Amino acid sequence: MSDDAKRRSAQLVVAVLLALLGFAAAAQIRLTHQDGSYAGQRREDLIELLDSLAAAAERTQKQIDELERTRSDLLSSSERREAAVEAANEQLAVLGILAGTLPAEGPGVTVTITDPSGAVTAASILNGVEELRDAGAEAIEINDRARVVASTAFVERDGVVLVDGHELRPPYVLDAIGSSHTLSEAVIFPGGLADEVSRLGGEVAVEEAAVVEVGSLHPVDPPEYAQPTDE
Amino acid sequence: MIAIIGLLIGVLAGLFLEPTVPLALQPYLPIAVVAALDAVFGGVRAHFDGIFDDKVFVISFFSNVLIAALIVYLGDQLGVGGQLSTGVVVVLGIRIFSNVAAIRRHVFHA
């Protein structure tokens, strides 16, 4: 074999090997660039990948559970708060009517005491108020000006009736909310307010109404000395 | 010259024939390619040193590829395939660098 031919065959062999290399490299590069394919990965790598995915899923699931718990906690606490607010509002209404800070309306009676001789005293009116209270009156006002509450004072100065500082002139009109029949009975029973007033020369008229409005309010100052205590 | 044409033909064939690599060969192909690259750079260096021998080149090419694949296969069987293939790539990379450095000295005299 001549030297030239030998060189040529050597070059050919090298060329074939290089072609093999280029072919393999190109195939491998194409394989690597097929994204999303785990086909070429070895088993341990895949297992590791699977493990890490499982761990991530577990962590995420834990997070989901925690967040759901928090959510239900928040929901129930907001429900509780709503219930508390509702209860507080209800109590506010009850106490407001009791304390005279809220206007009220409902079935009741209107008691009109005429007093042409000026003989009806504050004590008689207080009597009448107490009769109404005994009969279950929930809100009372006199002459659309004086709301009768727990601390209401009935006094007389120079023949004028003062209720919580309001000067009242006859005729005295008592609006009371409650069971209207019971209230009217309480006014006109023998020996009661009606009898007392007529003995003094006045007259009592009771009118039952489906809707009586008690619109006057009793101003309330916050207590200065008394502090609420826990039960 | 023929060698470079051969390389080009191989690359073009790989690109245009779109060969599918058999599943069993897939873990070994990248290692084999790196090993062959090492053999090629070794051959180029020998060529510049004036001691190139085609028989040596062919044998080193195939033995490189086979040993690299064997080591990875063994590693896979032992459960340390990933680490061993990393090791093979590191060793071959060092050899490629030193060969390229020698080639560089011949080409640029630096």
Side-chain angles (χ1 to χ4, degrees), chain B residues 67-82:
Chain B
I67 290 171
L70 197 69
I71 289 174
V72 175
Y73 171 76
L74 205 62
D76 273 346
Q77 301 307 308
L78 294 174
V80 287

Side-chain angles (χ1 to χ4, degrees), chain A residues 11-230:
Chain A
Q11 283 220 339
L12 212 62
V13 168
V14 170
V16 168
L17 290 189
L18 283 181
L20 209 61
L21 170 61
F23 184 76
Q28 176 61 31
I29 286 166
R30 255 176 38 81
L31 188 70
T32 313
H33 283 267
Q34 279 171 4
D35 39 358
S37 153
Y38 296 108
Q41 307 237 9
R42 62 188 70 248
R43 194 185 305 150
E44 295 92 273
D45 292 350
L46 288 174
I47 289 171
E48 210 165 291
L49 203 67
L50 208 61
D51 274 352
S52 74
L53 279 178
E58 202 176 311
R59 269 202 311 279
T60 315
Q61 188 56 47
K62 239 182 244 171
Q63 247 172 10
I64 289 173
D65 288 348
E66 210 166 293
L67 289 174
E68 270 178 355
R69 249 198 325 275
T70 312
R71 179 173 170 272
S72 70
D73 279 0
L74 288 174
L75 273 182
S76 74
S77 87
S78 84
E79 259 167 38
R80 273 205 304 279
R81 189 173 311 158
E82 254 168 48
V85 166
E86 209 170 292
N89 276 334
E90 223 164 87
Q91 204 175 15
L92 188 68
V94 170
L95 294 179
I97 289 171
L98 263 182
T101 54
L102 286 178
E105 64 169 28
V109 293
T110 303
V111 180
T112 310
I113 304 172
T114 47
D115 181 23
S117 54
V120 174
T121 59
S124 310
I125 295 171
L126 178 58
N127 256 348
V129 166
E130 272 168 3
E131 299 289 4
L132 289 170
R133 270 193 184 149
D134 282 347
E138 287 165 2
I140 304 173
E141 72 174 353
I142 304 174
N143 282 13
D144 289 333
R145 289 173 61 197
R147 181 77 171 259
V148 180
V149 295
S151 62
T152 301
F154 292 80
V155 292
E156 228 177 296
R157 192 189 301 148
D158 306 330
V160 178
V161 175
L162 287 170
V163 175
D164 272 350
H166 298 289
E167 283 189 12
L168 300 184
R169 310 265 173 198
Y172 308 107
V173 181
L174 280 70
D175 292 323
I177 296 176
S179 160
S180 39
H181 181 69
T182 316
L183 290 178
S184 64
E185 289 294 318
V187 173
I188 60 174
F189 79 98
L193 178 68
D195 281 1
E196 186 182 338
V197 171
S198 58
R199 209 170 44 244
L200 293 171
E203 206 175 303
V204 172
V206 181
E207 192 188 328
E208 294 180 22
V211 176
V212 173
E213 277 183 27
V214 173
S216 59
L217 299 180
H218 176 77
V220 172
D221 296 324
E224 194 176 340
Y225 301 103
Q227 298 288 334
T229 54
D230 292 332

Side-chain angles (χ1 to χ4, degrees), chain B residues 1-90:
Chain B
M1 197 58 214
I2 301 176
I4 292 169
I5 291 171
L7 180 65
L8 274 178
I9 288 172
V11 171
L12 290 179
L15 285 179
F16 288 106
L17 291 184
E18 303 193 349
T20 45
V21 182
L23 204 64
L25 275 184
Q26 279 182 358
Y28 309 112
L29 189 59
I31 299 296
V33 168
V34 176
L37 267 181
D38 173 53
V40 169
F41 280 111
V44 174
R45 180 189 181 178
H47 172 74
F48 280 114
D49 286 343
I51 54 167
F52 180 78
D53 182 357
D54 55 334
K55 214 190 313 173
V56 174
F57 176 68
V58 171
I59 291 172
S60 80
F61 187 94
F62 282 111
S63 74
N64 254 11
V65 167
L66 282 179
I67 290 171
L70 197 69
I71 289 174
V72 175
Y73 171 76
L74 205 62
D76 273 346
Q77 301 307 308
L78 294 174
V80 287
Q83 293 90 320
L84 258 188
S85 51
T86 307
V88 169
V89 168
V90 168

